[in-house]
Amino acid sequence: MTQDEMKKAVGWAALKYVMPGTLVGVGTGSTASYFIDALGSIKHKIEGVLSSSHTSTAKLKNLGISVFDTNEIDSLDIYVDGADEINDYMQMIKGGGAALTREKVLAAISHKFICIVDITKKVNILGKRPVPVEVIPMARSYVARELVKLGGTPKYRQNVITDNGNVILDVYHLMITDAVALENQVNQIAGVVTVGLFANRCADVALVCTKNGVKEVIL
Ligand code: 5RP
């Protein structure tokens, strides 16, 4: 299986968690996009979805799936999304698609977070890939200096404005030995909207696709 075939297999495998008549939280990215295709095949059986980005919303609406306003919904049974990295503790780096803040909100209101990844995303220690940080534009330089103090090397993601009108700093070389502590620390920097570390609210289930098929890991 190619990486793309693994993404597709795991996206469709997540369908078994979708209960009839429920609202489903939907993530962003190429793996989540396969999950959206899968949801389209059972669209008459679900009530609708909450979406984590304009991109996912456009695809969902195109398939005729009802997208609700997150402010009108108290909680979700499940939230299904990909990740850039996931470790054995189900902690993740997310935000490769710049949708980290809305993703974190949907994860926060969900009873179960189902992370769908191919095996290339599985790591022992988080931090091989950069950690995205969403920042309000006028605080970009200040936040970058604070991130350097934490040992990181921030890089401004050129030509990207998030759905919330902000910018992204991708932070390389962070030593992530305590992901919860680092998430809290970065979130305390003035001007940071969200850090793409999902450690306080980690995944409850990981569906990991290898060349041999999809394996379910439960915390
Ligand atoms: C978007 C995300 C994605 O889940 C993450 O970047 C993985 O993307 P892909 O499934 O395309 O590899 O966090 O903000």
Side-chain angles (χ1 to χ4, degrees), residues 7 28-32 81-84 94-100 103 121:
K7 288 181 179 200
T28 297
S30 53
T31 316
D81 197 0
D84 300 307
K94 291 184 46 52
L100 57 162
E103 292 173 343
K121 309 293 186 65

Side-chain angles (χ1 to χ4, degrees), residues 4 7-8 25 76 83 87 99-100 103 129 144 166 175-176 184:
D4 197 53
K7 288 181 179 200
K8 183 173 181 178
L76 285 168
N87 67 14
L100 57 162
E103 292 173 343
R129 295 179 181 83
N166 297 312
M175 283 283 292
I176 310 180
N184 294 339

Side-chain angles (χ1 to χ4, degrees), residues 3 7 27-34 52-53 79 81-85 93-101 103 113 115-118 120-121 132 157 196 198:
Q3 185 182 14
K7 288 181 179 200
T28 297
S30 53
T31 316
S33 178
Y34 282 122
S52 59
S53 65
Y79 175 56
D81 197 0
D84 300 307
E85 287 186 354
I93 292 178
K94 291 184 46 52
L100 57 162
T101 301
E103 292 173 343
F113 184 154
C115 179
I116 50 174
V117 287
D118 64 83
T120 66
K121 309 293 186 65
R157 202 183 291 181
F198 284 56

